[in-house]
Amino acid sequence: CLDLMSMLKMNRFHWHLTEGLGWRLYSERYPRLTSVGAYVGQHPGQQGFYTHDDVREIVGYARRLGIAVIPEIDLPGHSEAALTAYPQYSCFGIPPRIPDVGFTPAIFCAGKDSAMLFLKNVLAEVCDLFPSPYVHLGGDEAPKDHWDRCPDCQNRMTALQLHDTHALQLWMAAELA
């Protein structure tokens, strides 16, 4: 893939490392992200993860080809794999049902300080591992069904004087950025 990108003079590799059906990046601080989260998908192609050594090798090879690697950690949606490993960071503390395809209303809870700390710690690990000045936080397909009913999210919205859950997601993204 990187060789073809180089041949075509493409110089940015946007590496989508997380998804509802699998967490693909090893975390030293949160090893269940991969011991559990990398294997929630039902098909062999949905299994596995990259170690830190794998990442360093790929980033180094890409750099030699003139390609910058931009990691993506998708949140608050597409979180089923991570929330299967760490359900306490969801709104209701229960593991989500893993769909064959698509996504569910299970997203990281924006109202829990513990969930925000978890995400900040994960992102700090990503920033330490990748030399890119950018980390893509995703943000798409984050249904707010749970946030609309979650007392923690509702309390956070009241405390911050936010009018709706879309504003809560904007706050969350700014806080993590």
Side-chain angles (χ1 to χ4, degrees):
C1 174
L2 292 171
D3 291 325
L4 288 174
M5 288 178 65
S6 176
M7 183 182 76
L8 295 170
K9 307 289 187 218
M10 299 171 81
N11 62 4
R12 297 285 185 273
F13 173 38
H14 183 143
W15 197 357
H16 195 147
L17 291 163
T18 66
E19 190 57 70
L21 295 176
W23 187 278
R24 304 292 170 227
L25 181 62
Y26 178 74
S27 169
E28 291 179 359
R29 190 166 190 160
Y30 302 103
R32 288 179 55 82
L33 284 172
T34 49
S35 68
V36 173
Y39 300 97
V40 299
Q42 300 302 306
H43 306 288
Q46 297 169 328
Q47 310 278 307
F49 62 94
Y50 297 98
T51 66
H52 287 191
D53 286 341
D54 293 334
V55 169
R56 287 184 198 99
E57 181 181 342
I58 292 166
V59 168
Y61 186 68
R63 183 177 43 249
R64 289 190 297 280
L65 294 173
I67 298 170
V69 179
I70 301 168
E72 179 177 342
I73 304 298
D74 212 350
L75 55 94
H78 297 287
S79 312
E80 291 88 356
L83 294 175
T84 297
Y86 293 98
Q88 66 268 35
Y89 302 127
S90 68
C91 286
F92 304 113
I94 55 173
R97 178 192 61 79
I98 303 299
D100 287 333
V101 295
F103 53 92
T104 72
I107 64 177
F108 285 107
C109 182
K112 290 181 180 175
D113 290 338
S114 61
M116 293 299 293
L117 180 60
F118 168 82
L119 292 170
K120 288 177 182 181
N121 288 338
V122 166
L123 291 172
E125 200 169 342
V126 170
C127 289
D128 287 344
L129 187 58
F130 286 87
S132 172
Y134 305 104
V135 174
H136 185 203
L137 298 181
D140 69 325
E141 300 172 332
K144 312 297 189 299
D145 309 40
H146 288 188
W147 285 8
D148 288 332
R149 298 187 332 267
C150 174
D152 295 313
C153 288
Q154 294 301 308
N155 288 338
R156 173 91 71 201
M157 287 170 48
T158 299
L160 296 173
Q161 299 178 345
L162 301 174
H163 300 317
D164 59 24
T165 53
H166 296 291
L168 182 61
Q169 184 174 353
L170 291 174
W171 169 83
M172 181 186 213
E175 190 72 14
L176 294 174

